[in-house]
Amino acid sequence: MKIKRVALITPPYHSGVVESAGTWLNVGFVYIAGSLRAAGYEVDYYDAMSLWHKWPDIQKRIEAFRPDVVATTAFTASIVDAVKLLAFAKKINPRTVTVLGNVHATFCYDEILKGDHAAVDYIVRGEGEVTLPQLCTCLNAGDDPKKVEGLAFWRDGGVVVTPRAPYIHDLDTLPTAWDLVEWPIYTYRAKNNARLAIVSSSRGCKQQCSFCSQQLFWSQSWRARSAENFVAELEMLSRTHGVEVAMLSDEIPTFDRERWVRILDLMIERQVPVKLLMETRVDDILRDADIMDRYRAGGVEHIYVGVEAGTQETLDLFKKDTQVEQSKQAIDLINGADIVSETSFVLGMPDDTPESIDQTIELAKHYNPDMAFFLAIAPWPYAELYPELEPYVATKDYRKYNLVEPVIKPKNMTLEELERQLGRASQKFFMHKFQNLDRLSPWKQEFMLSVLDLLINHSYLAGQMRAMLKEGKEMPPEVKALLQSVGKHRGGAKHSAVAPIP
């Protein structure tokens, strides 16, 4: 069989975490599709996850395109559905070559292939833009895939692992396939359903966080596109595809200050009409205290910084390489620039108790970000911290490793108690935040009212609030009054957060 058509398909996994804010495209597929087309292959960019497609929909799409290769991607929580997708493709056409990539497969290829090698023909370890086209070309030539770097596959009763592929050095030269994206579905709910893109200006992470996958995936390396190349892409996305908001997928986009300042200057000079959402480190915000006004002028509207822990002891365990007091300083700088500030706290560690979680809630209020999320630690099986957490792992069901469902059982709490505490933490923080809404600038007030609507109607927290009501508990009067005020502010029950709540 000659390979001519490649279908890139996201697995239909949902957890309600990121979906509350909008619909997010898979930027990795944009690059891989571009590289496959440049190598002469026809590509279907199929985001089954974002389309909320069920298995019959996926079958119709596969049968219509008739791919020779089906490739999918998986983080840990979506790995079960990713393997199921490849098995599904094999059922439709047993001759289909199936490929799996991304972080979980890169590190857990042995477990996957030993358990599901009938469904998964090849695993791409690391970046896929060079490896996947090379694999297709190799198979077309009837050559041995052992010659292709960056692969793992099953052969003769065992797992074959080829040498690691080098990282792609010049990111500016990578072809893209933005024209294959089904743009109408990608929207940012918190900004009136503005058209949303995910973009990448750099790859890698130089940090050593012990709970994270990125420093492992990128081997603590970092590479970046030129400022000119990146800003030109934002201009194209705005002009050609109507993009209004772009989220940077980078772990540390501001790592090189000179390059970052150049990006901001170009955004200002060229008046690029795209607002930026981004993540960066606490210490990089402190470094850039003198140019926070330039962040705002350059279109940065929303910054996430990972605080992660409320005590220095836990920060040191996580190897965050920051001090507790620095987090407050960074969030103050972001707020001072009239930029939306967001952070998260990782809870559910073995020594956590309701009392320690209460202390974290109070610390979150003190830090005063616009948004704080309280997440259940997910013990990635390949992370440095995993051996220390493994004795407390309560389930090996990877679908639950989504930062919402607890999978670590603290010494003095049940999983059910921890889940309730996580929901209560979010409720207490946001109730405090919305009671002080008048302290924010007018545009932030409007944004936060949209956030409240999303939390009640579209997020994983919505179910917890409904469960609280079904248990017969009274909604606190101040919450009820606030929801009613939101309803009036946003044009009545049809658009209000209070509408779906019985």
Side-chain angles (χ1 to χ4, degrees), residues 437-448:
L437 205 62
D438 58 347
R439 300 182 183 181
L440 302 179
S441 64
W443 92 267
K444 267 198 179 185
Q445 288 184 31
E446 182 67 27
F447 176 85
M448 290 302 293

Side-chain angles (χ1 to χ4, degrees), residues 1-16:
M1 178 183 74
K2 282 289 184 181
I3 294 172
K4 297 179 180 178
R5 289 180 295 275
V6 181
L8 304 176
I9 309 176
T10 55
Y13 173 81
H14 300 282
S15 67

Side-chain angles (χ1 to χ4, degrees), residues 17 77 374-378 380 400-406 422 460:
V17 180
F374 302 85
L375 308 175
I377 187 162
W380 316 129
K400 296 180 181 293
Y401 286 48
N402 52 26
L403 306 178
V404 174
E405 299 176 81
L422 291 170
Y460 62 94

Side-chain angles (χ1 to χ4, degrees), residues 13 20 35 84 86-87 160 171 221 230 236 265-266 327 335 413 429 438-439 496:
Y13 173 81
S20 59
S35 296
K84 183 178 178 180
L86 298 184
V160 176
L171 300 179
S221 67
F230 175 61
M236 181 277 296
D265 286 347
L266 288 172
S327 299
N335 289 338
M413 299 173 68
F429 172 81
D438 58 347
R439 300 182 183 181
S496 75

Side-chain angles (χ1 to χ4, degrees), residues 56-123:
D57 304 309
I58 295 172
Q59 180 172 348
K60 289 178 183 176
R61 181 89 169 227
I62 291 175
E63 289 176 341
F65 185 64
R66 295 180 294 111
D68 304 304
V69 174
V70 169
T72 192
T73 176
F75 44 89
T76 297
S78 65
I79 187 64
V80 174
D81 289 283
V83 172
K84 183 178 178 180
L85 171 65
L86 298 184
F88 189 71
K90 287 277 194 187
K91 186 177 179 181
I92 295 170
N93 180 3
R95 299 183 65 196
T96 301
V97 176
T98 55
V99 183
L100 174 63
N102 211 329
V103 177
H104 188 91
T106 292
F107 296 111
C108 297
Y109 56 84
D110 198 67
E111 176 185 64
I112 294 167
L113 290 170
K114 286 180 178 178
D116 297 283
H117 59 266
V120 184
D121 290 327
Y122 298 97
I123 285 175

